[in-house]
């Protein structure tokens, strides 16, 4: 955690973070996590929706996630016009996403980011994806490791060592697709029948009045689960930051099921938690949960905190002054 002597930002700097408000709650959560990290740098951030955007000027504005913000606004043309107007009131504006850059929806995020003249496209994830970035986006792309906030760091410190009994061996939560149904079938019939399954049809995951599992309910399930298992609805390499982070915070281990021929970059963190279905049974037979859990926690702890990553972004935007450590780097 950063000490007060590490604070480098202008104490009167104003920050604004726009979230969708509806559609998918994890973008709202992303905005709040950014605000927590800014607070640790001495910057108070106002988290709001585009509909409720307050007046005034801001040194820094983050859009989490611009595509979902526009959808939640209800009128794409009107939403873009409102964002362009806001841009004129902000010294720096960044578009923040949590997506695989090889997907069509990431391309849409970039198109909208260019439309509102965002300075940077922040990839809030676990592995640098610059190798797959389109040349038109390359100069604006910045990888930002989705590290722990101060509050999350304290939460991980208070977790047990994983030795107590977790009565749910595995949990699968995700929208229904053919490949995911096949995975659940395998887990129930060939891995362990005692798992937890929630596999609805495609729908928004809102925070309020949602018929689906919300953040708190999902985490309650994971607190009693050893392994959170899932597979993407695409076959590109990607480490879903929210899946990994929720497992970390609830004391479990994330396992992403991938195709056998998926090429995992050598420098990618947590590659040992990406396993093909064909390997799953032999992997489980030779792997201890407590050992894997401790390795996962230790590996995450070696990564930068979210505050440290945000500080570097603010330094680039000239909203924060470089510290001695950042100059040495």
């Amino acid at each position: 955690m950063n000490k007060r002597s590490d604070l480098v930002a202008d104490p009167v700097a104003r920050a604004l973070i726009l979230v969708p408000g509806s559609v998918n709650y994890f973008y709202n959560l992303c905005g709040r996590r950014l605000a927590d990290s800014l607070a640790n740098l001495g910057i108070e951030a106002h988290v709001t929706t585009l509909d409720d955007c307050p007046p005034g000027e801001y040194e820094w504005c983050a859009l989490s996630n611009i595509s979902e913000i526009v959808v939640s606004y209800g009128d794409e043309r009107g939403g873009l016009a409102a964002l362009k107007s806001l841009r004129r009131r902000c010294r720096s504006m960044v578009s923040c996403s949590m997506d695989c850059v090889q997907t069509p929806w990431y391309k849409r995020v970039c198109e909208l980011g260019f439309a509102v003249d965002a300075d940077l496209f922040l990839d809030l994830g676990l592995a640098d994806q610059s190798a797959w970035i389109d040349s038109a986006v390359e100069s604006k792309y910045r990888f930002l490791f989705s590290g722990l906030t101060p509050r999350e760091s304290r939460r991980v410190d208070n977790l047990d060592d994983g030795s107590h009994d977790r009565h749910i061996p595995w949990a699968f939560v995700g929208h229904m697709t053919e490949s995911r149904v096949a995975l659940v079938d395998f887990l129930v019939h060939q891995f362990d029948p005692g798992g937890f399954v929630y596999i609805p049809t495609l729908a928004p995951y809102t925070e309020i009045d949602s018929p689906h599992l919300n953040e708190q309910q999902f985490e309650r399930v994971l607190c009693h689960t050893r392994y959170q298992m899932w597979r993407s609805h695409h076959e590109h390499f990607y480490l879903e930051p929210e899946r990994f982070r929720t497992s970390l915070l609830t004391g479990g281990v994330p396992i992403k099921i991938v195709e056998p021929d998926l090429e995992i970059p050598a420098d990618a963190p947590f590659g040992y938690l990406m396993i093909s279905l064909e390997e799953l049974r032999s992997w489980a037979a030779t792997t201890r949960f407590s050992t894997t859990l401790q390795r996962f926690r230790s590996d995450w702890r070696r990564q930068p905190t979210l505050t440290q990553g945000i500080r570097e972004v603010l330094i680039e935007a000239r909203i924060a002054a470089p510290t001695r450590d950042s100059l040495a780097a």
Side-chain angles (χ1 to χ4, degrees):
M1 184 183 303
N2 295 326
K3 299 178 181 179
R4 294 297 300 180
S5 60
D6 292 331
L7 302 185
V8 294
D10 182 344
V12 299
R14 300 182 72 217
L16 179 70
I17 300 176
L18 289 191
V19 298
S22 59
V23 187
N24 289 307
Y25 70 78
F26 37 86
Y27 292 121
N28 300 339
L29 175 60
C30 174
R32 292 193 291 269
R33 296 183 69 240
L34 291 173
D36 284 347
S37 296
L38 286 167
N40 202 42
L41 291 171
I43 299 178
E44 182 177 356
H46 189 80
V47 182
T48 185
T49 63
L50 184 56
D51 273 326
D52 297 325
C53 185
E57 296 185 348
Y58 294 87
E59 278 69 38
W60 196 71
C61 174
L63 310 177
S64 172
N65 158 300
I66 186 171
S67 179
E68 303 289 351
I69 289 170
V70 170
V71 169
S72 295
Y73 191 75
D75 170 18
E76 179 174 313
R77 180 176 297 180
L80 284 174
L83 287 174
K84 290 176 181 178
S85 177
L86 172 63
R87 179 67 184 90
R88 293 190 287 271
R89 298 192 277 123
C90 300
R91 178 175 165 188
S92 177
M93 175 179 280
V94 298
S95 173
C96 187
S97 64
M98 300 180 290
D99 294 291
C100 172
V101 302
Q102 300 176 75
T103 59
W105 45 92
Y106 182 77
K107 291 181 174 59
R108 180 60 176 156
V109 166
C110 292
E111 289 172 0
L112 294 172
F114 279 118
V116 300
D117 194 27
D119 296 309
L120 296 177
F121 299 153
L122 298 184
D123 176 11
L124 186 62
L126 302 181
D128 192 324
Q129 300 185 85
S130 56
W132 298 284
I133 283 292
D134 186 274
S135 58
V137 181
E138 188 175 3
S139 64
K140 289 181 177 287
Y141 174 86
R142 297 293 184 277
F143 169 63
L144 175 61
F145 184 82
S146 186
L148 296 176
T149 66
R151 188 178 310 176
E152 291 167 345
S153 183
R154 291 190 295 270
R155 181 173 169 180
V156 173
D157 287 342
N158 291 327
L159 289 172
D160 62 73
D161 61 4
S163 61
H164 81 289
D165 181 45
R166 287 179 170 251
H167 61 272
I168 304 176
W170 57 269
F172 178 92
V173 175
H175 290 132
M176 183 183 298
T177 66
E178 184 177 343
S179 63
R180 288 173 171 179
V181 171
L183 169 59
V184 169
D185 181 76
F186 177 93
L187 293 173
V188 170
H189 293 102
Q190 301 187 50
F191 185 68
D192 190 313
F196 176 93
V197 178
Y198 184 72
I199 187 166
T201 55
L202 184 63
Y205 275 53
T206 56
E207 285 190 280
I208 301 173
D209 299 328
S210 173
H212 301 292
L213 288 176
N214 60 28
E215 176 192 358
Q216 293 75 25
Q217 292 166 334
F218 186 25
E219 289 196 357
R220 279 202 296 272
V221 171
L222 293 182
C223 283
H224 300 284
T225 301
R226 287 195 168 205
Y227 299 107
Q228 177 189 180
M229 297 188 177
W230 76 96
R231 71 183 308 159
S232 295
H233 45 269
H234 62 77
E235 299 303 336
H236 306 296
F237 167 77
Y238 187 60
L239 296 170
E240 287 83 350
E242 288 303 286
R243 296 278 192 178
F244 282 81
R245 190 183 63 84
T246 54
S247 285
L248 178 73
L249 295 179
T250 54
V253 172
I255 299 294
K256 179 174 180 177
I257 304 301
V258 299
E259 291 299 310
D261 59 350
L262 179 69
E263 185 175 346
I264 300 174
D267 59 349
F270 318 124
Y272 55 94
L273 300 176
M274 303 180 75
I275 304 165
S276 71
L277 205 57
E278 293 79 359
E279 298 170 326
L280 186 57
R281 274 185 293 189
S282 61
W283 175 89
T286 58
T287 302
R288 291 187 60 188
F289 169 73
S290 59
T291 302
T292 306
L293 175 63
Q294 296 310 316
R295 179 182 178 184
F296 174 49
R297 288 180 182 173
S298 297
D299 287 351
W300 197 299
R301 284 297 198 186
R302 284 193 286 269
Q303 300 290 339
T305 66
L306 188 54
T307 297
Q308 290 169 332
I310 289 294
R311 178 171 58 185
E312 295 305 310
V313 173
L314 296 180
I315 289 173
E316 182 174 355
R318 300 181 182 275
I319 294 169
T323 61
R324 184 177 304 171
D325 290 344
S326 62
L327 286 172

